[in-house]
Amino acid sequence: MMSRSYTNLLDLASGNFPVMGPVRERKRLTRVMTVPGVVSELDDDQANSVNSDVHSSVNQDRIIIVANQLPVKAKRGPDNKGWSFNWDDYSLLLQLKDGLPEEMEVLYVGSLKIDVDINEQDEVSSVLLEKFKCVPAFLPPEIFNKFYHGFCKQHLWSLFHYMLPYSANHGGRFDRSLWEAYVAANKIFSQRVIEVINPEDDYIWIHDYHLMVLPTFLRRRFNRLRMGFFLHSPFPSSEIYRTSPVREEILKALLNSDLIGFHTFDYARHFLSCCSRMLGLEYQSKRGYIGLEYYGRTIGIKIMPVGVHMEQIESALRVADKESRIHEFKQKFDGKTVLLGVDDMDVFKGVNLKLLAMEQMLKQHPKWQGRAVLVQITNPARGRGKDLEDTQAEIQASCKRINEMFGKPGYEPIVFIDRPISLTERVAYYTIAECVVVTAVRDGMNLTPYEYIACRQGVSESASSSESNGPKKSMLVVSEFIGCSPSLSGAIRVNPWNCEATAEAMNKAISMADAETELQHEKHYRYVSSHDVAFWSRSFFQDMERTCKDHFRRRCWGIGLSFGFRVVALDSNFRKLSIDHIESVYVRSKIRAILLDYDGTVMPQTSHNKTPNAEVISIVNRLLGDTKNTVFVVSGRGKESLDKWFSPCKKLGIAAEHGYFMRWSSDDKWEVCGPNSEFRWKQIAEPVMRLYTEATDGSSIETKESALVWHHRDADPSFGSSQAKEMLDHLESVLANEPVTVKSGQFIIDVKPQGVSKGVVAEKVFTTMAESGKQADFVLCIGDDRSDEEMFEIISSAISSGILSSNTSVFACTVGQKPSKAKYYLDDPAEVINMLEALADASDPGSFTDTESDISL
């Protein structure tokens, strides 16, 4: 059943916004195309994905940076006519250019902070593209309000910062119209990107939670697009994230990127956990790189905290020194110990917790009364709502109470600045502060500590004080819940909810000996100066290049609707099995061997009733009715189950327990194909398995005549996988001297006798047929698990050894797109049944060959 979150999304994906009203069709930007094809092919919203295998004749790399807002500032001209634009030098999007290759062209796509009249939008677009290489995305007001102030701020921002709407007055309840506006806004951004993109040459770098579904819109159009996404906010734990009604849609959209970046390992770990629990995806770490396998594509996971722009801070320090701002503040706070806080006005910044900690410190350590000052700079709020209003009122009340309690003429313990201040003024405050305090309860990164460290280092040519050439010192008290915390090993980390502990940390920081603060500063400055914004962007871009390097060597195509869309990327030698092709070869062949796995191949893994239905029995019997066919079910299941289930199929060969037991038809007796064993090893293995079963809820032990299997499909995905790895090591150790093999499969650990495998079964079938004068000229071997890879592998050796002819038509087929020794794949058991039904329909029940004879062991 389709999730309710797909409601109207097919309309939205095609550009129809029924809840938003009409959107004006604007004039499209002119574009120089370097990709083979015609412009109309890309301008048609309903066009197929651009999927050319031919590179453009002009190979000039360019990067398109897409974010909610452009790095430009706009201002109305005189008499309210026209517009003037200039760069926003403080924008991260502009600063990251320093880390990109010098010859790389950078194009920006985003919205403006101001409203532009609909009649002026074309002119503004032309000016911004020509002079700033910026492409503005104009969002209609009714979409913008629901997109930004609605879904982004009320739903995503709260969700990512661990605030759940337990009541209507606490946070924002999920509103489907806000989600539709979010999708609509992302669609508009995608249209602006599509207007200027050269898909064969360009890189796309998307920023932050405002545009999390944009990768799907772009990937639908350009299968091989090189695309990265960086999340600048926290990513919550799976317990929090899974509460979102559109959790899978957002995850699947992000997975249409090639590289997904996070500030910290915790955020990446939470994302990977969500992919595991909700989509069944597991990550792998190879040579230091983390990757998620998703339909044949490897999505890279990048962990790299952003840095500050060192040159900009040093420039601001020179200006502050020249304007004597630093000297002014030193005089203002002469004889005082200054603690500094710089935060946005936001419910998650913990500003009031900081004030309460300051109050507690003054109470617990009276020596600081009249001496310690907390300067709290609060930037204007970017959101709105009752929660924010309550936070502002609480902060104002705390400031008033503390100043009344501890203040006296010429001294106020709290200096509260709630107005926008320039970077010059901010760096002046940084320079005079003995300690910076950050008590955010949740923050994606927070660059305040980095800026403070850079400012305390100063610039060599500064002459503002005699200390400029002396030892530098700084001290930090930071919340353990902010992204920069792991990189600041010398900072005092605190739980901001514990005001008493924070107060003690603040006292410790400003009481610390100079030698220790100098040592911590040196360590921090070494990190901050070497891991600046250029280092961050360079590292991300290099990883994006590495992740995308094989894009044009692989065959790609898109499948799925709406946010279920994904790109299947396969090696050029690995292709989907064409039913028409195998049917035509099947009809021409004379002697056929068909080997079928059961679970996950003809029976879905998720099916609770494992008994084959009437359709499967009918298909198998029709295949057996053609005397050219030898058909085997090769399964890990026990012989009693398989015998019972396939009792109507009298001529069916069955290999049970991975081939330990085997028979050619129901008239034949079961024969043991493995080594004779008393299975004493079970007395060693079973207690170990029982131990892990008791400790792993949802796991179970399956006892077979020849094997023991531990299942953990119904266990917690992370814990079950961890326990399976531990058990594998444990069993390999205790069974090292026993004649058994221990292997892991899909949600199982399997212990079985040595020399028993599906590969041995396949070799035996081919050999017996050849020795009976019925060498197969058609082989179909299909399975979904690691154990089936042994069948695929044996086929090559069977041809080289002469058991199979070099002219034999071989169809080794795996179920699902994944690395395999098979040459072909089908997506799921439903496609396997369709393929077998086509072969059954093409079978000749009255066929007879001169070489026909009974085959027996």
Side-chain angles (χ1 to χ4, degrees), residues 540-788:
F540 187 89
F541 179 73
Q542 288 172 350
D543 270 20
M544 186 156 57
E545 281 187 310
R546 176 186 56 79
T547 305
C548 300
K549 63 183 173 59
D550 291 331
H551 268 28
F552 297 98
R553 299 182 207 161
R554 311 187 78 184
R555 294 179 303 110
C556 304
W557 63 89
I559 58 175
L561 297 172
S562 190
F563 290 111
F565 177 86
R566 64 272 189 197
V567 167
V568 178
L570 300 174
D571 187 89
S572 57
N573 295 321
F574 188 56
R575 66 191 69 149
K576 188 164 186 176
L577 182 59
S578 165
I579 294 179
D580 290 339
H581 174 57
I582 190 173
E583 185 179 345
S584 65
V585 177
Y586 177 86
V587 170
R588 295 195 304 270
S589 60
K590 301 298 183 183
I591 304 173
R592 312 179 188 116
I594 301 174
L595 280 66
L596 307 173
D597 175 41
Y598 187 67
D599 290 283
T601 301
V602 296
M603 175 61 64
Q605 289 279 12
T606 54
S607 176
H608 294 293
N609 182 8
K610 297 297 186 180
T611 305
N613 57 33
E615 180 187 18
V616 172
I617 297 297
S618 173
I619 290 172
V620 171
N621 272 329
R622 280 190 285 159
L623 289 172
L624 292 168
D626 190 332
T627 54
K628 295 177 182 178
N629 295 341
T630 298
V631 184
F632 260 84
V633 168
V634 186
S635 173
R637 287 194 172 270
K639 65 180 192 292
E640 287 80 9
S641 297
L642 295 172
D643 184 32
K644 178 181 176 182
W645 291 342
F646 289 99
S647 58
C649 306
K650 303 300 183 182
K651 298 180 181 179
L652 177 66
I654 297 177
E657 299 190 16
H658 296 289
Y660 187 82
F661 297 105
M662 186 174 174
R663 75 177 189 197
W664 286 80
S665 72
S666 61
D667 295 331
D668 296 319
K669 291 182 179 180
W670 289 101
E671 298 212 12
V672 175
C673 300
N676 292 323
S677 172
E678 297 179 5
F679 300 109
R680 284 178 296 184
W681 55 266
K682 286 187 177 182
Q683 298 173 12
I684 303 173
E686 192 166 9
V688 174
M689 286 189 171
R690 196 180 304 117
L691 177 69
Y692 284 87
T693 303
E694 291 171 359
T696 312
D697 189 35
S699 65
S700 62
I701 302 173
E702 180 187 0
T703 302
K704 301 178 181 179
E705 288 188 47
S706 68
L708 288 175
V709 185
W710 188 73
H711 297 266
H712 61 94
R713 177 179 294 277
D714 296 328
D716 176 89
S718 298
F719 186 55
S721 176
S722 174
Q723 290 287 81
K725 292 175 183 176
E726 181 68 24
M727 181 194 284
L728 186 67
D729 290 340
H730 195 161
L731 288 173
E732 285 178 341
S733 175
V734 299
L735 297 173
N737 297 321
E738 299 295 328
V740 295
T741 59
V742 185
K743 291 187 177 181
S744 63
Q746 286 188 333
F747 303 105
I748 65 168
I749 297 293
D750 191 12
V751 184
K752 61 186 178 182
Q754 291 176 350
V756 174
S757 74
K758 292 185 178 182
V760 174
V761 173
E763 185 176 29
K764 189 158 193 165
V765 170
F766 301 149
T767 302
T768 305
M769 291 178 66
E771 290 175 351
S772 302
K774 294 184 62 175
Q775 188 180 55
D777 61 358
F778 173 96
V779 172
L780 169 62
C781 183
I782 185 164
D784 75 309
D785 203 349
R786 292 182 187 176
S787 61
D788 301 304

Side-chain angles (χ1 to χ4, degrees), residues 33-37 42 50-62 197-203 222-226 551-552:
M33 293 296 301
T34 61
V35 62
L42 299 181
V50 174
N51 193 23
S52 172
D53 288 324
V54 184
H55 285 284
S56 57
S57 56
V58 180
N59 187 13
Q60 168 114 26
D61 282 344
R62 181 177 69 168
I197 195 172
N198 297 330
E200 301 284 338
D201 300 328
D202 292 346
Y203 289 89
F222 311 111
N223 287 346
R224 290 187 175 86
L225 190 61
R226 299 175 290 186
H551 268 28
F552 297 98

Side-chain angles (χ1 to χ4, degrees), residues 99 112 155 172 223 296 362 365 396 438 460 469 551 596 619 668 694 722 793 843 846:
L112 292 167
H155 184 72
N223 287 346
L362 295 176
H365 303 279
Q396 295 284 359
V438 182
S460 58
N469 295 319
H551 268 28
L596 307 173
I619 290 172
D668 296 319
E694 291 171 359
S722 174
E793 190 173 15
S843 298

